[in-house]
Amino acid sequence: MIVDHPAAKKVVPPPRREGHVLSDAVRAKIVAEATNYPQARSALLAALHLAQAEYGWISPPVVREIAELLGLKPIQVQEVVSFYPMFHSRPKGRCHIQVCTNIACAVAGARKLVRQVEDSLGIRVGETTPDGAFSLVEVECLGSCGSAPVVQVNHDPYIERACAEDIAAILRGERVERQSPMISVIPEGVDGYLLPPNGVTRTEIADYLAVGGYEQARRAWCELDPDAITEMVKESGLRGRGGAGFVTGVKWGFMPKNPDKPSYLAVNGDESEPGTFKDRQILERNPHQFIEGALIAGRAIRAVAAYVYLRGEYTVPYLRLMHAIEQAYARGFLGDNVFGSGRSFHMFVQRGAGAYICGEETGMIESMEGKKGQPRKRPPFPAAYGLWGYPTTVNNLETLTHVPVILRHGPTWFRQHGTERSTGNTLFGVSGHVKHPGVYELPLGTPLREIIEKYAGGMANGRPPKAIIPGGVSMPVLTAEHLDTPMDHESLQRVGSLLGTAGIVVLDDSACPVRAAGVIARFFRHESCGQCTQCREGTGFLYKLLKRLDSGRGTMADLRTIEDVCGYMEGQTICALSDAAAWAAGNFLRRFRADFEAHVAQRGCPFPDSFEM
Ligand SMILES: Cc1cc2nc3c(=O)[nH]c(=O)nc-3n(C[C@H](O)[C@H](O)[C@H](O)COP(=O)(O)O)c2cc1C
Ligand code: SF4
Ligand code: FES
C-alpha cells in the first residue's frame, strides 16, 4: 500500500497576543517548518535556532511562545534548550567566540587562542564582557579537524587554521572569513567516486547531470524492484561508514516489505566525533551524489521521505545541501511524482544543536522528534520502531553517497575496490601532526603508513609518530608499531582497534599520551547524556583522574582506578558512548603505561614540548 505524504500535519498557529516577542516572519517560519513533520514537536530545534538568530538567546517569553506555537508545555521546550550546547538560556555576547579545544585543535595550539581572547578582554571561558560585546566559550570538535585550530563566531562559517591575527581582528570587531582551505582529494592513481575530480566543486545540478547524475535514481524509481536494489547493495558488500560498519544491504532488508504505515530514511550527518570531518566534504563538494544515494535507498526501503540530521554548526554544508535539494525538487527528482513515477519521496533537513550524542542513531531519532537526544533502549530497533514510531533505516551520509555507483557499475565493480570484506573506497580524514591534514579518498585496506607518509605528506615536524587514533577518538589508539596495518575492519580488529569513522589522528612523540587521553575524556564527559550511571559518573571520573596525573598529583593507585572504572563502563549501558570513553582512556593507558607511570614518578608531565590540555 502506498502511504501518504509524511508532512500531513497542518499547524494552526495561535493568534498573536501581548507577551509574544518573536516577529511575524519568525513565527511564520516556525509554523511552516512544523508542516514538514507528522508531529509539530519535531520542529522544535528549528524553532529554537530561528528564535535565537532573531532574539539572541532563548528567554522565558521565547520558551513560552514557542511552546504555544508547537502545542507543547513550556517545560518540554526548556528541557531541550538546556540539553543542547548551541542554545543559550542567558544572553551571550553580540560576538560569541567559540574556540574548539578538542584533540586536533589542542595539538594545533587552540589553548593559546583561548588565552589570547581571555587576556585581551579580561574575561574567562564562559564569561561575557560587561558591555555585552563579546563572550567566549570552549567547544568540542567542530568537524573541521583537518584545518585546526578552528574558531566559530556566532553562527558564521568557520575560521579555519585560525591564528593570533584572526583573533585580534575579531576583537577589533572585524568579520574574519577563512573557509575550507582543507584539502580533500582523490590521490593520483586512485579510482575515486565519492569526491568530484580534484579542484572541482560540483554543487550545481547541471554539472552533476552532465556526468550521468540522477540516472540511477531514475532507474530505481521507474524500473527496478526495491528488493532487487537491496540485493545489489548487499552483493556489493557496502558497510556503513558511520562507525559500526554494519552491512548496508542487510540493514535495508530489515524494513517491512508491504508497509501499511509510513517508513522513513533517517540520514545521519551529525558528524561530531573528534577526528571526523568527511561527510562535510561530500556536502560541500558533491551534495547531489548524496541526494541521489538517499533517493535510491528511499526506494529500496519503501520510504516516503528522508530526514537528514545535520550537525548544527555546519553552516556552509547546510546551505549547499539546501541549494541542492531545491534544485532536485525543481527538476521533479524529489516531490510528489518522483521522476514521473507517480510515487512521492520528500527530503527534509533538520539541524542539530551541538550535542554529539545525537549522532547515536536512537539519540538522533529522539532529537529529530524535538526531544533531548537521549538514546533509546533496544529492542525495538529503528527498523521496527524508529521516527515517530514508524519503521526507519538510519544511514550515515557517506554510506548513501556510495550507492549510486553501485547501481551504475554493479556490485562486482564495487568489490574491486577495497578488501574482500571491507569493500569500496572511503574518505579517510587525517589530522594532527602531519604535513598535509585533509580528507583522502582511498580504498579500504590502504596501509596506515601509506596514508600518513604518502598522502598526508608525512610528519609535520620531522618527529616520529607515537600515538595514532585510527577512526575517531572512540577507537582504541595504536602505536608506531601498527603503521603497516591495512585500514580495513578486519585488520584493525586484529591489532585491537576498529575502523570507526576512518578519521585518523596522528600524534608525534612530543605529545603527552596522558593529555591526549585527558582531552578525549573531557569530550566524553561533556557529551554523556546522563541516563546511565556508569557513563555519567565514569566519564567524569576518568577525566578527573587524568587531569590529576597531568598536574603531578597522580598516584600508581590512580592507574589501577582508571582500569577499574573502564571495566565498569564497558558493555553495561544504553548506548556505546560509555564503551567508547572506556576504550579511549583504557587503551591510552595500556599502550603508553610507561608514560603514565612517569607522570607519577616525576610528579608531573615529562613531555616539555607537548600540546596543552
Ligand atoms: C555516541 C555515538 C555517536 C555516533 N555518532 C555518529 C555520527 O555522528 N554519524 C554517524 O553516521 N554515525 C554515528 N554513530 C553511529 C550511528 O549510531 C549509526 O550506527 C550509524 O549512523 C548508522 O549508519 P551506517 O550503517 O550507514 O554507518 C554514532 C554512534 C554512537 C554510539
Ligand atoms: S551510555 Fe552514556 S551517552 Fe549512552 S545512553 Fe548511557 S549515559 Fe547516555
Ligand atoms: S575541529 Fe577541533 S578537534 Fe575537530
Side-chain angles (χ1 to χ4, degrees):
M1 178 179 149
I2 302 287
V3 286
D4 280 337
H5 181 298
K9 177 91 183 172
K10 292 286 166 269
V11 177
V12 182
R16 213 187 163 88
R17 62 168 175 74
E18 206 178 321
H20 284 164
V21 292
L22 298 175
S23 67
D24 286 340
V26 163
R27 287 170 61 89
K29 279 187 195 164
I30 292 172
V31 170
E33 175 75 20
T35 62
N36 290 345
Y37 313 99
Q39 294 170 7
R41 182 179 187 163
S42 294
L44 180 52
L45 268 69
L48 292 168
H49 278 302
L50 284 162
Q52 188 163 276
E54 171 164 88
Y55 198 79
W57 60 293
I58 309 293
S59 66
V62 169
V63 168
R64 285 194 292 274
E65 188 169 350
I66 290 178
E68 233 181 84
L69 280 170
L70 298 179
L72 299 170
K73 296 191 181 101
I75 186 65
Q76 292 175 306
V77 177
Q78 188 56 51
E79 68 178 10
V80 166
V81 172
S82 54
F83 185 82
Y84 293 90
M86 282 178 75
F87 297 135
H88 308 289
S89 34
R90 279 183 307 164
K92 57 185 172 52
R94 290 184 291 283
C95 175
H96 183 55
I97 304 169
Q98 299 144 91
V99 183
C100 172
T101 51
N102 210 281
I103 188 81
C105 291
V107 163
R111 184 62 50 202
K112 287 199 186 91
L113 301 180
V114 171
R115 263 202 306 273
Q116 186 186 349
V117 179
E118 286 181 331
D119 294 347
S120 308
L121 296 177
I123 57 170
R124 310 279 295 169
V125 169
E127 293 178 353
T128 303
T129 52
D131 61 357
F134 295 97
S135 48
L136 170 68
V137 288
E138 278 181 42
V139 290
E140 298 300 343
C141 179
L142 285 169
S144 195
C145 325
S147 51
V150 186
V151 172
Q152 185 169 34
V153 172
N154 300 334
H155 216 155
D156 295 347
Y158 295 164
I159 302 162
E160 304 181 31
R161 297 195 214 291
C163 58
E165 290 75 45
D166 294 331
I167 297 292
I170 293 168
L171 299 181
R172 286 195 301 272
E174 293 168 22
R175 187 184 160 103
V176 180
E177 285 199 29
R178 178 132 26 81
Q179 295 160 34
S180 291
M182 197 194 305
I183 305 169
S184 62
V185 289
I186 303 169
E188 212 181 314
V190 172
D191 185 12
Y193 58 79
L194 289 166
L195 296 173
N198 294 339
V200 173
T201 291
R202 203 188 273 147
T203 47
E204 295 305 313
I205 199 163
D207 297 333
Y208 188 57
L209 290 170
V211 294
Y214 287 108
E215 198 39 49
Q216 303 311 314
R218 194 197 57 74
R219 266 180 77 211
W221 281 86
C222 301
E223 295 169 19
L224 299 176
D225 173 65
D227 297 333
I229 303 170
T230 300
E231 271 316 304
M232 242 187 272
V233 172
K234 227 187 259 179
E235 268 176 52
S236 76
L238 174 67
R239 295 170 69 165
R241 302 303 201 244
F246 199 84
V247 181
T248 305
V250 172
K251 188 187 271 190
W252 292 2
F254 296 148
M255 292 292 277
K257 303 261 180 285
N258 299 301
D260 55 358
K261 49 189 173 183
S263 302
Y264 296 105
L265 174 66
V267 182
N268 197 336
D270 195 46
E271 181 149 270
S272 305
E273 174 140 333
T276 311
F277 46 101
K278 64 185 177 78
D279 295 339
R280 179 183 156 200
Q281 291 301 315
I282 294 171
L283 294 181
E284 290 191 9
R285 296 191 51 212
N286 204 12
H288 287 288
Q289 187 167 321
F290 153 65
I291 296 172
E292 182 171 19
L295 267 159
I296 297 167
R299 175 73 181 128
I301 63 169
R302 300 173 171 86
V304 295
Y307 285 87
V308 183
Y309 191 88
L310 191 61
R311 68 171 298 169
E313 298 90 336
Y314 274 179
T315 299
V316 175
Y318 171 74
L319 295 174
R320 298 214 173 146
L321 176 61
M322 294 309 285
H323 176 68
I325 290 174
E326 261 172 44
Q327 291 186 322
Y329 266 104
R331 298 264 180 169
F333 301 165
L334 287 166
D336 287 331
N337 182 17
V338 172
F339 298 101
S341 65
R343 299 187 185 91
S344 79
F345 187 73
H346 290 265
M347 184 173 280
F348 304 100
V349 181
Q350 288 177 277
R351 307 186 74 177
Y356 164 71
I357 194 55
C358 296
E360 195 282 339
E361 59 184 10
T362 57
M364 182 179 89
I365 288 171
E366 289 285 300
S367 183
M368 288 169 128
E369 293 183 1
K371 302 172 190 160
K372 296 185 280 181
Q374 292 186 314
R376 295 177 180 171
K377 289 196 188 88
R378 278 144 289 182
F381 292 93
Y385 190 92
L387 265 175
W388 307 294
Y390 295 125
T392 302
T393 288
V394 179
N395 272 135
N396 167 259
L397 196 146
E398 181 197 326
T399 307
L400 296 169
T401 309
H402 290 262
V403 172
V405 299
I406 296 173
L407 263 66
R408 179 186 291 194
H409 301 294
T412 310
W413 175 90
F414 189 81
R415 295 190 81 95
Q416 286 162 8
H417 303 70
T419 67
E420 196 192 334
R421 292 182 55 207
S422 297
T423 59
N425 290 350
T426 207
L427 296 178
F428 287 102
V430 192
S431 60
H433 286 128
V434 291
K435 270 195 196 129
H436 305 304
V439 170
Y440 298 91
E441 179 175 346
L442 293 163
L444 283 168
T446 305
L448 184 53
R449 184 188 298 281
E450 190 177 321
I451 297 175
I452 295 173
E453 292 180 2
K454 187 165 167 194
Y455 305 119
M459 300 303 288
N461 307 315
R463 300 183 78 134
K466 177 173 173 126
I468 306 116
I469 302 166
V473 297
S474 288
M475 299 303 140
V477 64
L478 300 174
T479 67
E481 73 182 50
H482 301 112
L483 278 173
D484 293 310
T485 309
M487 290 290 286
D488 58 68
H489 291 284
E490 294 68 36
S491 305
L492 281 162
Q493 241 170 320
R494 274 196 290 275
V495 295
S497 189
L498 292 163
L499 180 66
T501 57
I504 303 166
V505 186
V506 185
L507 302 178
D508 69 22
D509 69 351
S510 71
C512 170
V514 171
R515 286 190 187 167
V519 167
I520 294 167
R522 190 192 64 205
F523 168 76
F524 286 118
R525 181 191 65 156
H526 185 256
E527 302 301 335
S528 168
C529 84
Q531 288 188 99
C532 318
T533 312
Q534 297 92 329
C535 175
R536 186 181 60 240
E537 302 302 323
T539 51
F541 213 17
L542 287 178
Y543 175 60
K544 273 190 207 148
L545 288 164
L546 291 161
K547 194 96 180 108
R548 189 150 81 193
L549 278 167
D550 181 50
S551 71
R553 289 177 289 114
T555 63
M556 291 303 283
D558 288 340
L559 305 190
R560 282 192 297 280
T561 311
I562 291 175
E563 286 167 337
D564 287 348
V565 172
C566 289
Y568 295 130
M569 289 172 71
E570 278 184 59
Q572 315 261 5
T573 51
I574 295 174
C575 89
L577 185 141
S578 183
D579 304 68
W583 292 342
N587 279 288
F588 263 100
L589 173 56
R590 184 163 70 91
R591 304 269 196 208
F592 303 102
R593 178 170 277 277
D595 295 325
F596 277 65
E597 288 177 356
H599 280 73
V600 178
Q602 297 179 28
R603 296 183 183 279
C605 180
F607 292 86
D609 303 328
S610 179
F611 69 90
E612 296 171 79
M613 196 159 153

